[in-house]
């Protein structure tokens, strides 16, 4: 028998204490409120019924005489009608099943039937929940820009070169995603910081100053809407010599893009219409070109084509120098400015709506500065904070692979959930006023 | 030319040697970055192998002052892509700006008094056309709204005419414009505008619009720079397109030798009777001389003069004190004439509208 190995005193003490429970830090998220269980409040149901009634009456008038405005409205409402129909059906079957279970079993057959019903009830309940959610989603007002193409704007947050490098990674990620899904995406602007000494990092990232990616597919705004916000990265930067993990952020804004040729959209599709969100009065803008030094004209052959447009009322500044043609730069700058102004107006509208609601709901409002997602390199993890959703396989996420799809779907789900919640509260507030 | 700061070269070198090679031509890091990107895009698009070597070679050439447009082969002009070759002047952004502005004015009807769609036919002639950028742009944009359109570009240089015709074909092939048909014609003619026999071919019908970007650099500036000549232009672009030659007739009183083309263009205008005459000029001094000459010329007795700056559609910028909205000249008989000046930048063109 070999003698017991020598163990130091502090280790003995530690062993005596038993296994230590490691404290696992929970992922910080505000997703607790939007759990899977969503109850349709009576107020919401009432609204659904009212809308379906309107739909039915519209349908009957439409069958006798056609009116494009009414037809459009009916088309919008048909979503609610089908969702309500499915929901009612599921609800009826749930009620039937539960009544079967509750009745006293009189015979052997009845008891067997009840046990089958109990099983079925489980499945029906689950589908009822999903249908209730669908109904809620159909009741939420569709985003005014939902059918529009979009622009995705990338900007590094404060945090020096590291945050710029990461912004480039994000840019490549969304570009790859668009490529994989087959969207028509163009790089509208790609500007790297040109201060001395900035080079590409070991991961081949460039210090990005500002980039704009335009996705021309109609409905792209709805797809990417949930991606807007602050994206946080936690990793050891390539510039770090001591191996410490740094945290930095990049901002991603998703702007509605005015569809070219006026296709799609609707009432707000004309940028020259002062009522449109995209309308900009040229009088409100200051256009600056490269100041000509010296003679200009035939005397010199300049290749600079930079242009800067300032929208004075909102203070938005757009500069563009990516194309060799100044005319082209100017068009792109206008496009970007229009989108930014339109987004600003949408945000203002939302803020206004939130102010009208109860003050309790302000938590459900996304603030521009709030972090929505974390990419943790060391833990190989990507987390969406709003949905409380976690995936691993970060490299696939950063390549715009299917793992990113999962994250985006989760974020989207959360957004729909939030919309339903807001609607419920709105309806309740309305009912309370009555 | 001031020397390039060593610190600038060092920071360019830390990025890439190609960037540093571009510095002598670009003078600052920002535009060097842009040009490097454009050259790289061009190389990626056109060259299949040995790209790095190709890129290096192009950057070195550019650094020695070869115009970027000659290296890449094209220059965008409006929505068109204009091919550029040595021996033909490269289209300037200022030219692009006033041509686009003219097109806007024509389409909105602010210049001709009626909208283009109401106007049945339109005839445009451009003297000293070079690459053909002005007639090509106007033809491609006005195609949509004018039923019967005739656009003609005139030049003395055969190289330029070749290129202009090639440009017309190239832009049609690229799908930037529709080809000319029996209703809408685009043509390029060789003519020496100082020879009356050459001009005869244009005098049949009156032209609605006459444009010209004639040579306007003085021999003094061409030879000695005077802080105005760009190195790349002086060395690589054709003198024929830039400086009025010696063998031209002497300038009338009040004008300098470099203004000779304007005197001739005004004479031509009298025979061609355009409703609008647009001429590019070099600087404010030249513009003043020509406006004064106009006041004596019979073509302008019933006409309205406007002067446009580099960017006629842009409101005067921060340096308002140097960008007045009009200038005044004294005519020979002691009268004072005030000419409105539009836009921002240097004085660039004179627009003469005859009142009908």
């Amino acid at each position: 028998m070999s003698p017991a190995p020598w163990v130091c005193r502090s280790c003995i003490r530690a062993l005596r204490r038993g296994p230590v429970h490691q404290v696992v830090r929970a992922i910080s998220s505000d997703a607790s409120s939007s759990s899977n269980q969503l109850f349709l409040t009576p107020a919401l149901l009432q609204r659904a019924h009212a809308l379906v009634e309107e739909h039915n009456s519209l349908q009957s008038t439409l069958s006798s005489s056609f009116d494009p405005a009414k037809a459009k409205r009916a088309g919008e409402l048909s979503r609610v009608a089908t969702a309500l129909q499915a929901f009612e059906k599921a609800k009826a079957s749930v009620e039937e099943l539960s009544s079967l279970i509750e009745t006293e079993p009189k015979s052997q057959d009845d008891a067997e039937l009840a046990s089958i019903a109990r099983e079925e009830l489980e499945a029906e309940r689950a589908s009822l929940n999903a249908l209730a959610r669908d109904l809620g989603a159909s009741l939420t007002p569709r985003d005014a820009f939902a059918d529009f193409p979009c622009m995705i704007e990338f900007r590094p947050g404060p945090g020096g070169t590291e945050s710029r490098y990461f912004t480039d990674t994000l840019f490549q990620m969304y570009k790859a995603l668009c490529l994989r899904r087959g969207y028509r995406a163009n790089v509208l602007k790609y500007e790297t910081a040109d201060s001395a000494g900035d080079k590409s990092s070991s991961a081949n990232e460039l210090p990005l100053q500002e980039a704009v990616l335009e996705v021309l597919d109609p409905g792209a705004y709805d797809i990417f809407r949930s991606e807007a916000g602050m994206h946080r990265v936690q990793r050891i930067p390539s510039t770090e010599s001591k191996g410490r993990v740094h945290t930095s952020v990049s901002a991603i804004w998703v702007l509605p893009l005015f569809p070219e040729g006026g296709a799609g959209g609707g009432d707000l599709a004309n940028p020259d219409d002062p009522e449109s969100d995209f309308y900009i009065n040229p009088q409100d803008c200051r256009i600056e070109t490269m100041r000509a030094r010296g003679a200009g004209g035939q005397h010199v052959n300049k290749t600079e084509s930079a242009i800067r447009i300032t929208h004075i009322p909102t203070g938005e500044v757009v500069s563009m120098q990516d194309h060799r043609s100044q005319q082209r730069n100017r068009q792109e700058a206008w496009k970007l400015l229009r989108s930014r102004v339109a987004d600003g107006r949408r945000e203002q509208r939302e803020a206004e709506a939130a102010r009208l609601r109860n003050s309790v709901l302000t938590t459900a409002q996304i603030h521009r500065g709030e972090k929505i997602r974390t990419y943790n390199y060391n833990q190989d993890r990507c987390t969406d904070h709003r949905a409380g959703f976690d995936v691993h396989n970060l490299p696939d996420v950063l390549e715009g692979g299917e793992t990113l799809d999962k994250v985006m779907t989760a974020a989207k789900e959360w957004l729909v959930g939030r919309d339903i919640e807001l609607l419920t509260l709105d309806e309740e507030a309305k009912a309370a006023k009555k | 030319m001031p020397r390039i700061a060593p610190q600038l070269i060092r920071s360019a070198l830390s990025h890439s040697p190609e960037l540093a090679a571009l510095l002598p031509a670009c003078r600052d890091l920002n535009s060097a970055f842009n040009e490097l990107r454009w050259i790289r895009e061009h190389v990626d698009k056109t060259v299949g192998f040995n790209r790095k070597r190709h890129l290096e070679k192009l950057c070195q050439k550019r650094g020695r002052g070869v115009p970027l447009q000659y290296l890449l082969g094209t220059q965008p002009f409006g929505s068109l892509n204009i091919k550029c070759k040595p021996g033909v002047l490269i289209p300037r952004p200022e030219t692009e700006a006033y041509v686009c502005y003219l097109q806007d004015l024509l389409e909105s009807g602010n210049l001709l008094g009626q909208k283009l769609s109401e106007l049945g036919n339109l005839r445009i002639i451009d003297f000293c056309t070079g690459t053909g950028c002005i007639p090509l742009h106007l033809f491609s944009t006005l195609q949509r709204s004018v039923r019967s359109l005739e656009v003609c570009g005139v030049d003395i240089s055969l190289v330029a005419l070749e290129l202009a015709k090639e440009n017309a074909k190239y832009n049609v092939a690229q799908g930037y414009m529709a080809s000319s048909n029996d209703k809408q014609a685009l043509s390029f003619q060789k003519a020496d505008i100082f020879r009356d026999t050459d001009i005869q071919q244009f005098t049949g019908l009156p032209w609605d619009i006459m444009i010209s970007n004639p040579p306007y650099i003085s021999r003094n500036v061409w030879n000695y720079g005077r802080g105005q000549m760009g190195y790349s232009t002086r060395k690589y672009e054709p003198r024929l397109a830039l400086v009025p030659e010696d063998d031209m007739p002497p300038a009338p009183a009040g004008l300098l030798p470099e203004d000779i083309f304007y005197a001739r263009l005004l004479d031509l205008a009298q025979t061609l009777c355009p409703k609008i005459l647009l001429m590019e000029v070099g600087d404010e001094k030249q513009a003043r001389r020509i406006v004064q000459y106009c006041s004596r010329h019979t073509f302008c007795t019933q006409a309205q003069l406007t002067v446009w700056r580099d960017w006629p559609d842009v409101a005067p910028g921060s340096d308002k004190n140097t960008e007045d909205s009009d200038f005044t000249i004294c005519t020979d008989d002691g009268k004072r004439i005030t000419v409105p000046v539009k836009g921002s930048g240097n004085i660039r063109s004179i627009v003469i509208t005859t009142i009908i």
Side-chain angles (χ1 to χ4, degrees):
Chain A
M1 207 178 132
S2 60
W6 178 83
V7 179
C8 83
R9 210 185 301 167
S10 59
C11 287
I12 292 172
R13 227 178 290 141
L15 283 169
R16 209 180 290 149
R17 230 181 283 144
V20 180
H21 293 286
Q22 204 177 353
V23 180
V24 182
R25 195 172 76 88
I27 302 147
S28 51
S29 86
D30 54 352
S32 52
S33 54
S34 61
S35 53
N36 295 329
Q37 201 73 18
L38 268 160
F39 291 107
L40 278 179
T41 56
L44 221 54
L45 261 177
Q46 224 166 30
R47 183 177 153 83
H49 278 293
L51 286 176
V52 170
E53 245 165 59
E54 190 190 340
H55 176 247
N56 289 342
S57 70
L58 273 176
Q59 283 290 0
S60 58
T61 51
L62 273 174
S63 57
S64 54
S65 65
F66 185 77
D67 179 14
K70 274 183 187 165
K72 201 178 157 215
R73 177 79 182 145
E76 283 168 7
L77 293 178
S78 69
R79 223 156 47 108
V80 184
T82 47
L84 185 67
Q85 214 172 7
F87 174 74
E88 299 270 85
K89 212 172 132 195
K91 201 172 151 197
S93 74
V94 165
E95 270 162 15
E96 201 184 306
L97 285 171
S98 40
S99 74
L100 255 179
I101 293 162
E102 276 160 23
T103 47
E104 281 288 309
K106 283 174 194 149
S107 64
Q108 186 84 32
D109 282 359
D110 277 0
E112 236 170 67
L113 216 61
S115 73
I116 294 169
R118 212 161 284 138
E119 272 168 33
E120 246 173 60
L121 188 63
E122 280 298 300
E124 281 293 328
R125 279 235 168 94
S127 80
L128 183 68
N129 258 341
L131 286 169
R133 193 185 164 78
D134 279 356
L135 180 59
S138 74
L139 283 176
T140 53
R142 214 167 142 65
D143 195 291
F145 300 131
D147 295 328
F148 279 50
C150 73
M151 283 186 190
I152 312 175
E153 205 179 334
F154 301 82
R155 270 164 193 255
T161 24
E162 159 62 3
S163 127
R164 288 186 174 159
Y165 285 142
F166 181 66
T167 313
D168 193 37
T169 301
L170 282 181
F171 176 74
Q172 302 299 348
M173 175 176 97
Y174 283 110
K175 219 168 97 177
L177 179 85
C178 289
L179 195 70
R180 188 172 59 79
R181 292 199 189 171
Y183 296 147
R184 281 183 298 145
N186 293 332
V187 181
L188 209 66
K189 181 172 181 175
Y190 187 82
E191 207 176 292
T192 48
D194 53 34
S195 58
D198 278 353
K199 272 181 275 185
S200 61
S201 76
S202 54
N204 241 340
E205 297 161 318
L206 289 169
L208 196 67
Q209 178 85 51
E210 193 185 343
V212 180
L213 190 70
E214 89 183 328
V215 188
L216 291 172
D217 294 70
Y221 180 75
D222 204 35
I223 296 166
F224 288 102
R225 187 161 70 104
S226 51
E227 300 296 294
M230 303 302 270
H231 292 233
R232 182 171 72 163
V233 61
Q234 290 173 325
R235 65 173 179 185
I236 302 165
S238 54
T239 47
E240 168 68 47
S241 55
K242 296 201 181 76
R244 288 170 297 199
V245 174
H246 284 214
T247 299
S248 46
V249 289
S250 314
I252 290 183
W253 306 131
V254 178
L255 314 174
L257 173 62
F258 173 69
E260 240 155 281
D267 306 332
L268 27 76
N270 186 4
D272 298 326
D273 174 17
E275 293 295 305
S276 161
D277 276 341
F278 290 92
Y279 176 74
I280 291 176
N281 188 353
Q283 304 285 314
D284 290 343
C285 293
R286 193 170 62 235
I287 303 173
E288 288 157 282
T289 51
M290 290 303 292
R291 301 296 329 145
R293 286 157 304 194
Q298 289 177 1
H299 296 93
V300 290
N301 175 17
K302 288 195 301 277
T303 58
E304 295 137 62
S305 52
I307 188 142
R308 189 166 62 206
I309 307 182
T310 314
H311 188 236
I312 297 159
T314 56
E316 287 285 357
V317 180
V318 174
S319 67
M320 195 62 80
Q321 55 171 12
D322 280 36
H323 300 283
R324 280 167 63 206
S325 154
Q326 188 166 59
Q327 225 56 29
R328 178 85 190 278
N329 276 335
R330 193 185 285 209
Q331 281 166 13
E332 309 272 88
W334 270 111
K335 211 154 86 177
L336 184 55
L337 186 66
R338 272 187 205 293
S339 290
R340 278 201 196 155
V341 168
D343 193 55
R345 287 182 182 149
R346 177 194 60 83
E347 210 162 84
Q348 220 170 22
R349 257 203 316 264
E350 264 173 27
E352 190 72 11
R355 210 173 49 78
L356 290 176
R357 280 188 211 113
N358 244 326
S359 56
V360 198
L361 340 170
T362 41
T363 47
Q365 178 88 10
I366 328 174
H367 292 292
R368 271 212 144 189
E370 219 159 282
K371 69 168 190 288
I372 62 156
R373 201 167 289 168
T374 294
Y375 304 80
N376 191 313
Y377 277 57
N378 287 12
Q379 297 171 13
D380 189 33
R381 164 173 70 82
C382 174
T383 303
D384 193 276
H385 297 287
R386 300 161 303 177
F389 186 76
D390 240 334
V391 287
H392 292 273
N393 194 3
L394 188 63
D396 190 49
V397 171
L398 294 178
E399 275 162 24
E402 266 146 40
T403 325
L404 178 62
D405 283 355
K406 284 186 209 159
V407 183
M408 281 175 71
T409 318
K412 188 105 214 143
E413 288 276 294
W414 173 83
L415 206 63
V416 171
R418 184 197 65 145
D419 281 351
I420 297 174
E421 225 172 294
L422 290 183
L423 186 71
T424 315
L425 287 159
D426 265 1
E427 287 298 318
E428 272 168 9
K430 251 188 234 166
K433 248 180 217 170
K434 274 178 193 168
Chain B
M1 203 152 45
R3 69 167 189 166
I4 301 164
Q7 196 232 338
L8 204 62
I9 299 175
R10 232 177 289 131
S11 60
L13 271 172
S14 77
H15 186 272
S16 71
E18 287 85 18
L19 192 73
L22 288 174
L23 267 187
C26 299
R27 314 300 302 174
D28 67 81
L29 221 45
N30 200 12
S31 65
F33 262 111
N34 276 334
E35 290 201 4
L36 181 62
R37 200 181 61 238
W38 295 328
I39 294 174
R40 186 171 281 144
E41 278 166 11
H42 171 76
V43 168
D44 287 349
K45 219 164 42 187
T46 54
V47 187
F49 58 93
N50 223 348
R51 283 184 175 158
K52 176 119 180 67
R53 176 87 199 92
H54 218 88
L55 181 73
E56 269 169 29
K57 229 163 125 186
L58 284 183
C59 288
Q60 272 161 17
K61 271 193 191 167
R62 175 69 187 121
R64 268 183 252 125
V66 181
L68 184 73
Q69 292 88 342
Y70 287 163
L71 292 175
L72 305 187
T74 57
Q75 164 70 26
F77 191 91
S79 54
L80 303 178
N81 218 358
I82 301 289
K83 282 192 176 186
C84 299
K85 280 182 185 167
V88 187
L89 186 77
I90 295 161
R92 300 288 196 256
E94 289 91 346
T95 310
E96 187 183 355
Y98 71 70
V99 173
C100 286
Y101 187 61
L102 176 75
Q103 170 223 331
D104 279 349
L105 288 184
L106 286 176
E107 279 178 345
S108 64
N110 287 344
L111 212 54
L112 287 169
Q114 55 183 334
K115 284 205 172 179
L116 274 186
S117 40
E118 296 157 13
L119 205 72
N121 59 349
L122 193 68
R123 300 183 83 223
I124 302 171
I125 193 162
D126 174 42
F127 289 105
C128 312
T129 196
T131 54
C133 54
I134 299 173
L136 282 167
H137 177 83
L138 289 176
F139 185 72
S140 73
T141 49
L142 301 181
Q143 248 172 358
R144 286 171 262 141
S145 38
V146 185
R147 243 180 307 116
S148 163
L149 180 68
E150 191 180 341
V151 183
C152 182
V154 180
D155 207 296
I156 191 174
S157 154
L158 281 174
V159 187
L161 284 171
E162 270 310 285
L163 187 65
K165 284 172 189 163
E166 196 185 322
N167 267 324
K169 269 191 215 140
Y170 172 72
N171 280 296
V172 169
Q174 295 279 311
Y176 297 135
M177 63 181 223
S179 60
S180 49
N181 49 40
D182 53 339
K183 277 276 179 200
Q184 301 182 325
L186 171 69
S187 62
F188 291 100
Q189 306 287 340
K190 181 185 182 327
D192 178 353
I193 65 167
F194 285 95
R195 276 173 57 183
D196 290 333
T197 47
D198 279 12
I199 294 302
Q200 295 265 279
Q201 54 179 315
F202 306 113
T203 49
L205 285 164
W207 296 86
D208 298 300
I209 297 161
M210 182 172 149
I211 309 175
S212 183
N213 179 10
Y216 54 65
I217 296 175
S218 71
R219 225 166 305 142
N220 186 351
V221 170
W222 176 263
N223 287 334
Y224 305 109
R226 306 281 175 216
Q228 294 177 29
M229 259 336 267
Y231 170 79
S232 155
T233 301
R234 170 75 176 75
K235 195 166 173 193
Y236 292 95
E237 292 195 74
R239 182 182 167 142
L240 178 68
L242 296 166
V243 189
E245 294 296 330
D246 305 327
D247 56 353
M248 283 168 189
L255 290 188
L256 295 178
E258 63 259 31
D259 309 331
I260 180 64
F261 269 86
Y262 300 102
R264 179 65 186 168
L265 283 168
L266 284 167
D267 290 346
L268 283 183
Q270 217 169 346
T271 51
L272 301 179
C273 311
K275 290 172 192 149
I276 298 160
L277 169 61
L278 196 162
M279 300 180 294
E280 183 172 326
V281 295
D283 52 16
E284 183 166 351
K285 279 182 195 151
Q286 191 168 35
R288 280 176 184 278
R289 285 197 301 271
I290 292 154
V291 168
Q292 193 162 35
Y293 182 73
C294 282
S295 67
R296 300 198 300 267
H297 200 277
T298 42
F299 175 69
C300 303
T301 44
Q302 286 274 299
Q304 200 178 348
L305 265 75
T306 321
V307 174
W308 289 353
R309 292 184 185 274
D310 282 339
W311 321 112
D313 50 346
V314 175
S318 45
D319 40 351
K320 267 192 182 119
N321 42 353
T322 58
E323 288 180 0
D324 299 326
S325 62
D326 52 51
F327 68 62
T328 309
I329 52 149
C330 264
T331 55
D332 302 335
D333 46 350
K335 263 199 293 182
R336 294 172 78 84
I337 306 178
T338 308
V339 182
V341 181
K342 252 193 206 174
S344 145
N346 291 328
I347 286 194
R348 188 53 58 209
S349 50
I350 295 176
V351 184
I352 303 169
T353 333
T354 50
I355 300 158
I356 312 145

